[in-house]
Amino acid sequence: MTTYGIPLLVLATTGSAARTGLVFALGALPRLGAFTVAGSFVDRYGTTRVFRAANLARALSALAAAGALILLDARTLAATFMVMLLAASTGFLSEFSYVAAETAGGEASRAAKTRAHRVQSTLITIDQTAILAGPVAAGLLIEHGGPTAMLGTLAAFSLLAAARGLCHDPEPAQASAPKQGLGAGWATLRSLPMLAWLVGGLTVSNAAVALLQAAIPVIVVNELDRSSADAGLIWSAAAVTSLLAVTASRRAIDRWGLWSVGVAAGTVAAVATLAIAHADTYRDYLLLIAVLMAGEGGLTVVLRTVRSHLIPADRFGSTLAATILLLLLPYPAAGLLVAALPAAQLGHAITAAALLQTFGLAVAFTRLRHLPRTQK
């Protein structure tokens, strides 16, 4: 709801494509900053404390913004500033809870040993189920209940997560752990060349996905004259195919290995992005983005499985933060690009991103092919 709903909220309240792109960037930039400290916080204080504190703070942020928007006229500069501040704060806080949850997932994967990819596919299914419901719910709430309805729902889910999520840590808080912080994470990533190559390739791939996420509200609402709910429906439909791909990839990895499944998923994602650059109807965008996210679902299983195999347990939070920081770098750039480009030029930008995506994935999986057989 945060990732897809807040840009829709800005577009609905201001009607400005440039501000929509800007708020997408403002939501992503604090995420990058969060990873400079989130990993070390999780390693030091434990997953439960960090997860609950981040969700409580996000709930308070959403409620404060909802209250302010009730008092302010939607089209004023003050209302725009409030929504942009909300995007920045929720982006920052969401990454603390994300690193905490992923660290707990890494512990579960290590316990599963050779079945780690099955644990990761289950975790991704949980994520994709939320992505299935979140965007369309955000669009419908904005369309029929207004901004306060969407923000109130976001606050309610944040409070529910704080109350029910991550009821215990896999082990006590690691206040005396020897190697923590983003610097330790970078050092660990550099010492794992296979993981570094994979993260590098997926960072390039994320540039294409980020550009689409930033551009779709503008394309669907302004260019195709559809509603906010229709824009949200695209990503919810994509989550369905991603769920199916995650389930299929779990079985495919059992049979053919990580490298083969990664190559197939990367090929699907790159071809779909190239086709999206030439789409001109709502149906085309709906179908092709669904195919793209199916490929992304397979790639995510591969990344998370390799990550859980290779990162040492005592530096997992810090190294995870470093990898996610790289993967998120394209998002603020994509938002700024959408804010700067005329809508008619977005297709050319998507084409360039698709070509870079193809090159990046080809290089990454050429290197990944040399992983030891036990990790393939």
Side-chain angles (χ1 to χ4, degrees):
M1 289 185 67
T2 300
T3 301
Y4 303 107
I6 291 180
L8 284 173
L9 182 64
V10 173
L11 190 61
T13 55
T14 69
S16 169
R19 288 180 181 177
T20 301
L22 182 59
V23 83
F24 190 90
L26 287 175
L29 281 170
R31 293 174 187 262
L32 300 181
F35 286 116
T36 63
V37 292
S40 59
F41 266 58
V42 170
D43 285 342
R44 181 177 297 273
Y45 299 112
T47 57
T48 300
R49 289 184 184 179
V50 174
F51 186 84
R52 288 180 172 171
N55 276 288
L56 285 172
R58 183 169 58 185
L60 291 174
S61 178
L63 289 173
L69 290 178
I70 290 174
L71 301 176
L72 298 171
D73 182 73
R75 298 282 174 167
T76 63
L77 182 62
T80 301
F81 174 79
M82 178 57 63
V83 176
M84 290 184 173
L85 182 62
L86 173 68
S89 62
T90 54
F92 183 82
L93 294 168
S94 292
E95 299 318 320
F96 279 85
S97 59
Y98 179 74
V99 171
E102 285 294 292
T103 302
E107 178 67 22
S109 295
R110 285 190 294 275
K113 298 181 180 178
T114 59
R115 298 169 64 85
H117 63 279
R118 290 183 171 270
V119 174
Q120 289 299 327
S121 67
T122 301
L123 295 174
I124 296 167
T125 298
I126 295 170
D127 291 342
Q128 293 300 318
T129 301
I131 293 174
L132 173 63
V136 70
L140 289 171
L141 285 166
I142 292 170
E143 192 79 15
H144 300 292
T148 55
M150 196 274 283
L151 293 174
T153 304
L154 175 61
F157 278 116
S158 297
L159 290 172
L160 183 61
R164 299 296 299 170
L166 293 182
C167 295
H168 67 280
D169 284 324
E171 49 186 66
Q174 303 173 29
S176 61
K179 295 181 179 180
Q180 298 173 349
L182 194 61
W186 288 121
T188 303
L189 182 59
R190 288 196 302 270
S191 71
L192 303 170
M194 296 304 170
L195 180 61
W197 276 106
L198 181 57
V199 169
L202 293 184
T203 299
V204 177
S205 179
N206 272 7
V209 177
L211 183 59
L212 286 171
Q213 287 185 5
I216 285 300
V218 176
I219 293 172
V220 171
V221 177
N222 287 3
E223 299 298 310
L224 300 181
D225 198 26
R226 305 293 289 242
S227 69
S228 296
D230 289 331
L233 180 61
I234 285 181
W235 297 105
S236 292
V240 174
T241 60
S242 185
L243 273 171
L244 295 174
V246 166
T247 302
S249 65
R250 179 177 58 193
R251 297 177 180 176
I253 290 170
D254 284 337
R255 184 169 182 178
W256 292 296
L258 276 173
W259 183 82
S260 298
V261 173
V263 169
T267 301
V268 169
V271 171
T273 309
L274 282 169
I276 290 168
H278 303 286
D280 56 7
T281 68
Y282 178 77
R283 182 185 176 188
D284 289 343
Y285 283 107
L286 184 69
L287 294 176
L288 290 171
I289 288 177
V291 174
L292 166 64
M293 296 313 291
E296 287 292 314
L299 289 171
T300 303
V301 174
V302 172
L303 170 64
R304 288 167 65 151
T305 303
V306 171
R307 198 163 61 190
S308 66
H309 272 304
L310 297 182
I311 300 176
D314 64 336
R315 284 165 280 168
F316 194 88
S318 299
T319 309
L320 174 69
T323 65
I324 300 174
L325 180 60
L326 285 173
L327 292 170
L328 284 179
L329 280 174
Y331 283 84
L336 294 174
L337 185 62
V338 170
L341 281 179
Q345 299 298 316
L346 289 177
H348 298 302
I350 294 170
T351 299
L355 293 173
L356 286 173
Q357 179 188 40
T358 301
F359 175 77
L361 290 175
V363 172
F365 281 104
T366 298
R367 303 295 300 182
L368 185 62
R369 186 176 185 177
H370 301 293
L371 275 173
R373 287 186 180 273
T374 55
Q375 293 180 23
K376 289 175 67 178

